[in-house]
Amino acid sequence: MSSSKDNSDKRVQDLLAFSMGIMNGENGKMLIEKYQEAIDNVTPHDMLALEDKQVQMGISPEMIKKDVEKIINVFTKGLESYEWEKPKEGTFLYYLMLENEAFKFKLNQIKKILRGYNGREASHFQEMKQELLPRFVEFKPFDYHYIKKENILFPYLEEIWESYRPLKVMWSLHDDIRRTLKEVIALLEDPSTEWSDFNPLLGKYYSLVFRMIQKEDIIIFPVATETVSDENWHEMHLQSFEYPFPFIETPEKPEDESIKEQTGKDDLMVPGMFVAETGRMTLEQVLLVFNHLPVDITVVDENDRVLFFNKPKERFFPRSPAIVGRSVNNCHPPESVHIVEEIVETFRKGERDTAIFWIELKGRFILIQYFALRNDDGEYKGVMEVSQDATEIRKLEGQRRLLNWE
């Protein structure tokens, strides 16, 4: 083992000891003095490694989030001094970073509005709310930035990184941002909200979003740049066009040359047939059927790996090709993954064959059903998730026996 590797391992152990000391409430000044050398030389790789060890120790994302800002504050100088090659224009990571820059500009515009009310926030808050509300509503589409990370970037990093578990913590922080933005908008819409109620939540939201940008810029993106191949970046870029590019102009989508080489044409179809005792169809017809079903379908195999998802016209939950082959446990935020794990394990044991949920989402009533997949011998072969917009179905009454296009 090289001396540089030895030094890195020792540094991570020292940084882990420092972070655990902070989490246990030990004297911060004394801890900094004790581990000063490791702190001064910290790298983004070290930060991922120590947080990965925390997750492996059974420390929950919620506990890690509680003190992560204090820890990163101490490490910031070292992390910011780390030299890495910034992404080239026209790449997946380039546009993620450009989205962040556009978001920061809009965030700072709100700061400018607040400075205009400096010293008279409380007395002019009702007036201020009218000015702030549309600007915070405008932030809602930035969620696609986080969705692209969760459904495109994270699956690739999980395959490449040994220390991938901190991505679960980052996903949990995404959910904190989503939840806090909803709370900010709700307070601005409430006529009874006072400045004293709003100000702490505003500070929390700004801290969360700016800290997220910082974590991306000084930890996730540098390590990703040094570990992800050009081919994988290209694949991610192609998949990113499934989603909007918040706050920036949509770039021109490059051609997927690999598909052309495989098929000799611009579509994804390969000649062949699907044959069963109930009939036969071309692969193109099979895909058309799946994609025209009025439901979202995701199939997971017996090893808990995503096999397939369809692409209906309107999806309720984001999916990208990057999730194919991904562990289903990594496809859900940390706060809800235990539900999926329980469903899969119950199906695997043969104790149940279905699980049903329903939720309100963007004013629609969504029915979510899980079905165990078993062969003719009853052997467990995986899970199928089916989500359906049942809003209009719930309203049906009586009968309709005649054709009516209305």
Side-chain angles (χ1 to χ4, degrees):
M1 183 180 293
S2 67
S3 59
S4 61
K5 174 65 174 173
D6 291 338
N7 290 338
S8 175
D9 288 344
K10 181 181 184 306
R11 188 167 62 245
V12 170
Q13 290 300 325
D14 286 347
L15 294 170
L16 178 63
F18 168 81
S19 64
M20 296 306 295
I22 292 294
M23 295 176 73
N24 290 327
E26 297 178 26
N27 185 287
K29 185 176 180 181
M30 292 180 62
L31 287 168
I32 291 173
E33 291 177 355
K34 183 176 180 179
Y35 299 107
Q36 189 70 64
E37 182 178 355
I39 291 168
D40 289 344
N41 293 283
V42 65
T43 72
H45 297 267
D46 297 336
M47 187 67 200
L48 285 174
L50 80 86
E51 198 167 287
D52 189 72
K53 290 181 182 296
Q54 289 177 328
V55 176
Q56 292 188 68
M57 290 164 59
I59 303 175
S60 68
E62 203 63 38
M63 292 178 65
I64 293 173
K65 289 189 300 181
K66 185 178 178 182
D67 293 294
V68 69
E69 304 307 340
K70 297 178 187 176
I71 295 166
I72 291 183
N73 278 343
V74 176
F75 296 169
T76 295
K77 183 177 180 181
L79 292 171
E80 287 183 341
S81 65
Y82 186 81
E83 296 183 1
W84 61 288
E85 185 176 349
K86 302 302 185 292
K88 296 178 181 178
E89 185 173 352
T91 60
F92 176 68
L93 190 53
Y94 171 85
Y95 291 114
L96 283 184
M97 296 184 71
L98 195 62
E99 288 170 357
N100 275 338
E101 290 302 312
F103 189 27
K104 284 195 292 185
F105 175 80
K106 290 182 179 294
L107 289 164
N108 287 325
Q109 289 298 107
I110 290 183
K111 284 186 176 182
K112 186 177 179 181
I113 293 173
L114 294 172
R115 283 195 296 269
Y117 287 92
N118 189 31
R120 52 194 181 96
E121 293 91 346
S123 60
H124 288 76
F125 185 53
Q126 298 306 317
E127 176 186 344
M128 188 196 303
K129 281 198 290 187
Q130 300 302 313
E131 198 168 356
L132 293 180
L133 178 58
R135 293 179 179 269
F136 279 100
V137 170
E138 187 186 8
F139 288 167
K140 292 168 72 174
F142 195 75
D143 190 45
Y144 286 110
H145 177 90
Y146 304 132
I147 288 173
K148 283 188 284 191
K149 287 170 61 185
E150 295 161 356
N151 290 276
I152 302 176
L153 180 63
F154 287 2
Y156 279 89
L157 298 185
E158 288 161 7
E159 291 296 317
I160 296 168
W161 289 359
E162 182 179 347
S163 301
Y164 68 87
R165 296 165 189 84
L167 300 176
K168 297 178 181 291
V169 181
M170 180 164 275
W171 193 332
S172 182
L173 286 166
H174 291 171
D175 285 344
D176 290 344
I177 291 171
R178 292 168 172 132
R179 185 166 47 251
T180 306
L181 179 58
K182 288 180 181 178
E183 293 171 356
V184 167
I185 292 172
L187 284 185
L188 289 173
E189 290 176 335
D190 186 347
S192 66
T193 303
E194 300 293 338
W195 171 251
S196 57
D197 304 317
F198 179 73
N199 191 32
L201 190 63
L202 176 67
K204 177 183 177 182
Y205 178 73
Y206 263 72
S207 177
L208 283 169
V209 293
F210 273 109
R211 289 291 192 180
M212 178 56 66
I213 293 171
Q214 180 190 48
K215 290 179 182 70
E216 292 176 9
D217 285 347
I218 67 176
I219 301 173
I220 300 298
F221 292 168
V223 179
T225 296
E226 296 174 354
T227 54
V228 176
S229 69
D230 290 343
E231 180 182 359
N232 284 345
W233 282 128
H234 181 63
E235 291 171 0
M236 283 188 259
H237 184 45
L238 289 173
Q239 293 178 33
S240 69
F241 286 86
E242 294 287 327
Y243 308 99
F245 290 76
F247 308 156
I248 66 172
E249 184 177 339
T250 301
E252 182 178 349
K253 183 177 181 180
E255 289 187 352
D256 188 352
E257 295 298 331
S258 64
I259 296 297
K260 284 190 174 183
E261 291 173 6
Q262 293 169 17
T263 67
K265 52 185 178 179
D266 292 335
D267 58 53
L268 289 170
M269 299 315 305
V270 178
M273 295 289 293
F274 169 80
V275 181
E277 60 181 343
T278 54
R280 63 176 61 197
M281 294 188 290
T282 66
L283 295 182
E284 180 180 17
Q285 289 169 332
V286 171
L287 193 58
L288 284 171
V289 169
F290 271 117
N291 290 342
H292 282 78
L293 291 172
V295 293
D296 288 3
I297 296 174
T298 303
V299 182
V300 176
D301 69 12
E302 65 269 32
N303 298 312
D304 304 340
R305 297 283 175 176
V306 176
L307 281 179
F308 170 84
F309 65 93
N310 70 333
K311 296 179 68 175
K313 187 176 180 181
E314 299 290 339
R315 288 204 65 90
F316 317 121
F317 306 109
R319 297 283 188 271
S320 295
I323 71 167
V324 176
R326 189 185 194 187
S327 169
V328 68
N329 295 341
N330 293 333
C331 295
H332 297 80
E335 286 76 9
S336 63
V337 69
H338 66 282
I339 299 174
V340 177
E341 291 172 343
E342 182 179 350
I343 291 171
V344 170
E345 192 56 31
T346 302
F347 285 0
R348 194 190 308 278
K349 292 177 180 177
E351 296 173 357
R352 302 280 184 183
D353 284 322
T354 60
I356 302 176
F357 304 86
W358 50 91
I359 62 173
E360 295 280 349
L361 182 67
K362 298 180 180 178
R364 310 298 291 176
F365 182 85
I366 309 301
L367 178 66
I368 306 169
Q369 301 178 85
Y370 292 85
F371 300 95
L373 302 179
R374 305 189 192 281
N375 63 16
D376 291 341
D377 296 324
E379 297 172 328
Y380 173 75
K381 291 297 180 180
V383 181
M384 178 171 64
E385 178 192 68
V386 180
S387 302
Q388 180 177 12
D389 185 347
T391 307
E392 302 305 322
I393 296 175
R394 294 179 82 200
K395 299 177 183 178
L396 296 178
E397 295 180 349
Q399 302 181 71
R400 174 188 285 182
R401 291 178 177 271
L402 300 177
L403 179 63
N404 186 338
W405 295 106
E406 297 300 324

